[in-house]
Amino acid sequence: MSRPTVGVALLGLGTVGQGVWKHLTAQRGDLEARLGVRLDIRGVAVRRRARARGVKVPSRLLTTDARRLVDDPRSGVIIELIGGVTVARTLVLRALRAGKTVITANKALLCEHGPEVLAAAKAGGGRLFLEGSVGGGIPIVKTLREGLVANRFDLIVGIVNGTSNYILTRMGEDGLSFDAALEEARRKGYAEADPSLDVDGVDAWHKAAILGFLAHGKWAPRSRALVEGIRKVSPADIGFARKFGYTLKHLAVVRRDLRAGWMSVGVYPALVPSGDILAKVSGVNNGITLRGDVVGVTTLAGPGAGADATASAVLGDLADALLEIRGGARPGADLHALAKAGRSVPMAPEEAIVSPFYLRLTLKDTHGVLAGIYRTFARHKVSIARVVQYEHPDTGTGTLTLSTYPGNERDMARVVAELARLRTVLEPPTLLRIFAP
Ligand code: HSE
C-alpha cells in the first residue's frame, strides 16, 4: 500500500526549532516507517536567512515569508515555534481557520489567547496539539487528556519552569549567586529569550493556566492568580528551609475543591518538605504531581526545558497529528468539550486558599519590637509555629524568619500589610508559602 504524503511547515528556528529540525531529520526514516506516511518538509520560516545556527537547513527550504508557508495548500501540518503572541498568534489563527493541523509549544499564546485559538480551530476545523507547551519532555498533556482522563484532580502541583529550578538548585546545593546561576541556565538554552519571564514566574503562570484548562476546562484569569517568581528568594530563606527540613522550589499549584467547585491557580516559590518527591526534582528537570480521584497520587518527572526535551514533545505531537491525518483515531479528551464543561467553574475566594506560611522580616534591633510583631499575628488569628532570629549588631538591625500554622491568603495578606507599616520593620516583608499537600 502506498504511503500518503503529508506536508509539514516549520515556523521558527530558534533553540526549540533547531532541536526539532535536528531530531526530525535524524529520525525521519523511522518516523515515516512507524507512522506509515511520507513527510514533505515544505519549508522553514525564519526572521533572517543568514544567521549562525547549530543546524544546517538547505537554503531552498529557508524563507522569511511565514505566511506563504502557512497558506501553501500542501502544508497540512504547521509547527509553530516562533513564540510570543504577535506574529505567532496571527499565523496560528490563520492556519487553524484554514483547517490545518497546528503543533505549538507556545505557552504564552495558549495562556493569553486560549479561547481565541480554540475558537479558530472550531471555526475552521483545524486541529491543535500542544504537548511542547508544558513540562518540556514530560508527556503531561497526553497524560491529562488520555492516560488519566477518568480522573478529577483536586491537586496538580508541579515544578514547571526549568530555569527557576536550575537556579534554585545551584543556589541551594552549590552556593552559586542568583546571577551566576541564571547565566548558566541561559548558556544551556533553558531560559526564555527574555529571562524575566522565567525568574518572575510568568512562564510558569502560562503553563499553570494550561494545566488548569486541561484539568478543569477553565482558563484562569491572571487577575485571580498569585504570580510570583524567584527573585526575592535569599540565602536566609534557603537556610531556614534547610534547618527545618524543607527545600525551596518554584511551584505551580492548581487546586480544585471538588465539592464547592472552585479552582485556584498560583505560581510562587515555596518551602517543600524535603521528603516530598518534588523536593528531589533538581536542576533543569520538571516534576508534576497529580492527585486524581481514581488513580491517587501520580508524579511525572523529566527534563523540563532545552532544545532536545521540547523537540521530543513536539515530535510526539507530530506523530499523533500524522496518525490522525491518515484517518486514525483521535485520542484523548476533546479540547472543545473541555472548554464547554469548564465555563461555569468559579475561581476560589482568597479565604479558601489555605497553607502554612514563611515570613522574613528585617527589623530594627531594639526593645519591644517582637511584641509588636506578635500582636499583629494575634490580631489576625494567624498562629506562629517556628522562629529563627539573627542579630546584625554592626547595623543595629535584625532578621526574623518564621513559619506559621495553616492560615488563609486573606488573613496573611492583612498581617503582612500591617507589619509593613510598623516603624520597626525596615524592609518590605518577604512572604513565602509552605507547601502542604
Ligand atoms: N524557559 C522555559 C523553562 C523553557 O525554563 O522552563 C521551557 O518551557
Side-chain angles (χ1 to χ4, degrees), residues 107 132-133 160-164 190-192 198 203 207 286 304-306 310:
K107 51 253 163 152
S133 64
V160 294
N161 183 259
T163 301
S164 296
Y190 303 153
E192 296 300 300
D198 295 300
D203 176 79
K207 294 166 176 168
N286 280 190
T310 314

Side-chain angles (χ1 to χ4, degrees), residues 57-362:
V57 178
S59 75
R60 68 183 161 77
L61 289 181
L62 286 178
T63 174
T64 53
D65 191 350
R67 188 166 149 171
R68 191 183 55 76
L69 213 45
V70 168
D71 290 347
D72 173 358
R74 285 159 73 183
S75 300
V77 179
I78 310 294
I79 304 180
E80 184 274 308
L81 302 170
I82 298 170
V85 296
T86 53
V87 179
R89 170 169 164 252
T90 309
L91 293 168
V92 163
L93 294 175
R94 191 174 178 87
L96 289 171
R97 286 186 187 127
K100 306 206 171 196
T101 293
V102 170
I103 296 171
T104 183
N106 193 331
K107 51 253 163 152
L109 176 66
L110 294 166
C111 170
E112 291 172 26
H113 300 282
E116 187 185 25
V117 171
L118 285 177
K122 198 163 191 178
R127 298 278 299 154
L128 180 68
F129 291 85
L130 59 151
E131 188 64 71
S133 64
V134 197
I138 304 172
I140 184 66
V141 177
K142 234 174 163 27
T143 298
L144 282 165
R145 290 180 69 186
E146 298 178 35
L148 300 186
V149 72
N151 289 264
R152 293 178 305 160
F153 300 96
D154 71 335
L155 173 66
I156 299 177
V157 52
I159 294 165
V160 294
N161 183 259
T163 301
S164 296
N165 202 43
Y166 185 86
I167 293 172
L168 289 177
T169 303
R170 294 289 275 147
M171 285 173 73
E173 291 179 9
D174 310 310
L176 242 70
S177 72
F178 177 93
D179 290 336
L182 172 57
E183 188 44 39
E184 276 189 7
R186 289 180 77 155
R187 272 206 309 271
K188 288 171 185 270
Y190 303 153
E192 296 300 300
D194 170 7
S196 74
L197 292 174
D198 295 300
V199 297
D200 291 322
V202 181
D203 176 79
W205 153 245
H206 292 152
K207 294 166 176 168
I210 295 169
L211 290 175
F213 172 74
L214 291 170
H216 307 299
K218 164 111 178 164
W219 293 103
R222 167 99 186 240
S223 58
R224 298 293 301 275
L226 176 69
V227 178
E228 291 182 356
I230 59 167
R231 276 189 215 270
K232 64 181 180 178
V233 171
S234 83
D237 309 328
I238 292 173
F240 182 99
R242 188 170 293 138
K243 189 175 173 72
F244 293 112
Y246 297 102
T247 306
L248 260 160
K249 292 288 176 193
H250 188 263
L251 297 183
V253 183
V254 180
R255 288 188 190 271
R256 179 94 190 260
D257 185 316
L258 296 176
R259 273 202 223 130
W262 57 249
M263 151 180 154
S264 70
V265 179
V267 300
Y268 43 79
L271 286 76
V272 176
S274 296
D276 192 291
I277 193 164
L278 292 181
K280 296 173 178 47
V281 173
S282 62
V284 72
N285 287 307
N286 280 190
I288 303 175
T289 294
L290 307 121
R291 189 165 65 200
D293 58 350
V294 181
V295 70
V297 178
T298 303
T299 300
L300 292 90
D308 296 336
T310 314
S312 170
V314 168
L315 293 177
D317 273 352
L318 179 61
D320 278 355
L322 295 175
L323 286 175
E324 231 184 72
I325 288 170
R326 268 196 49 194
R330 290 185 167 189
D334 177 65
L335 296 177
H336 304 294
L338 257 177
K340 199 168 165 199
R343 253 185 237 149
S344 58
V345 174
M347 296 304 292
E350 269 199 317
E351 55 273 23
I353 307 175
V354 173
S355 74
F357 293 90
Y358 160 91
L359 193 66
R360 169 165 43 85
L361 296 166
T362 304

